[in-house]
């Protein structure tokens, strides 16, 4: 529920479904058909404000998936690396890229600082997140596909349809 809400309320995805479902704006040179902009103060747009809270839930899922990826190094006869281990780590990296490149994370790191020179550590973190934020759409798509493919791979291995090849 939390990761789905995080993705549903993401600013990057909003642009796509605002344009496709609500035709807002219908095109760059065309006047908005909906009259005056009221922001996100009416239903259903007010639900978009849940995004910053869903971000915290998404971070919890990153921690849980990281723990699962660490456990993927355990094989019945000791430490090992399999194709599934690599797939799980790629999934964690793409999801972390998507989650930590979010504007909510950027605001959390430096949004309440009025003078960055008084907080150089937060400024450095804010600059790093800002650089990640420039690639937020890329991380959104990569993570969307990696979640599906990782789930499919794990499901097929658990059902015995395929074997997890051990590399090391």
């Amino acid at each position: 529920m939390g990761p789905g809400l995080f993705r549903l309320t993401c600013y990057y995805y909003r642009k796509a479904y605002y344009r496709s479902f609500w035709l807002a704006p219908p095109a760059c040179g065309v006047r908005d058909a909906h009259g005056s902009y009221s922001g996100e103060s009416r239903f259903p747009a007010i639900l978009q404000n849940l995004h910053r809270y869903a971000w915290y839930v998404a971070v919890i899922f990153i921690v849980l998936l990281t723990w699962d990826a660490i456990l993927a190094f355990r094989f019945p006869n000791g430490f090992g690396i399999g194709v599934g281990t690599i797939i799980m780590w790629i999934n964690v990296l793409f999801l972390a890229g998507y989650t930590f490149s979010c504007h909510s994370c950027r605001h959390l790191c430096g949004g309440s600082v009025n003078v960055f020179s008084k907080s150089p550590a937060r400024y450095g973190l804010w600059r790093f997140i800002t650089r990640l934020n420039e690639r937020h759409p890329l991380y959104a798509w990569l993570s969307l596909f990696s979640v599906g493919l990782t789930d499919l791979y794990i499901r097929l291995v658990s059902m015995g349809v395929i074997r997890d090849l051990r590399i090391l």
Side-chain angles (χ1 to χ4, degrees), residues 8-84:
L8 182 68
T9 59
C10 173
Y11 275 106
Y12 171 68
Y13 289 118
R14 285 186 212 186
K15 179 177 81 172
Y17 61 79
Y18 275 20
R19 290 179 181 171
S20 58
F21 296 129
W22 294 327
L23 295 175
C28 294
V30 178
R31 200 177 103 218
D32 195 3
H34 301 288
S36 63
Y37 177 69
S38 64
E40 295 174 344
S41 58
R42 288 187 272 175
F43 186 82
I46 197 164
L47 297 176
Q48 298 296 346
N49 294 318
L50 295 173
H51 184 67
R52 67 190 77 143
Y53 304 108
W55 183 83
Y56 292 106
V57 177
V59 170
I60 292 169
F61 274 85
I62 297 297
V63 171
L64 294 173
L65 289 171
T66 302
W67 180 251
D68 283 345
I70 290 169
L71 293 178
F73 288 116
R74 291 186 349 189
F75 280 79
N77 55 351
F79 177 83
I81 298 175
V83 173

Side-chain angles (χ1 to χ4, degrees), residues 33-145:
H34 301 288
S36 63
Y37 177 69
S38 64
E40 295 174 344
S41 58
R42 288 187 272 175
F43 186 82
I46 197 164
L47 297 176
Q48 298 296 346
N49 294 318
L50 295 173
H51 184 67
R52 67 190 77 143
Y53 304 108
W55 183 83
Y56 292 106
V57 177
V59 170
I60 292 169
F61 274 85
I62 297 297
V63 171
L64 294 173
L65 289 171
T66 302
W67 180 251
D68 283 345
I70 290 169
L71 293 178
F73 288 116
R74 291 186 349 189
F75 280 79
N77 55 351
F79 177 83
I81 298 175
V83 173
T85 310
I86 294 169
I87 289 173
M88 290 176 74
W89 276 104
I90 290 170
N91 184 47
V92 167
L93 291 174
F94 285 161
L95 280 171
Y98 173 62
T99 303
F100 294 113
S101 68
C102 176
H103 76 283
S104 293
C105 181
R106 185 172 171 248
H107 179 74
L108 183 69
C109 293
S112 62
V113 176
N114 291 327
V115 181
F116 276 129
S117 62
K118 293 182 180 177
S119 185
R122 285 188 65 186
Y123 177 65
L125 186 58
W126 179 83
R127 282 187 52 204
F128 176 74
I129 300 298
T130 299
R131 281 187 294 232
L132 282 178
N133 186 257
E134 293 169 357
R135 292 183 176 81
H136 189 62
L138 175 65
Y139 293 128
W141 283 105
L142 289 173
S143 66
L144 186 67
F145 288 113

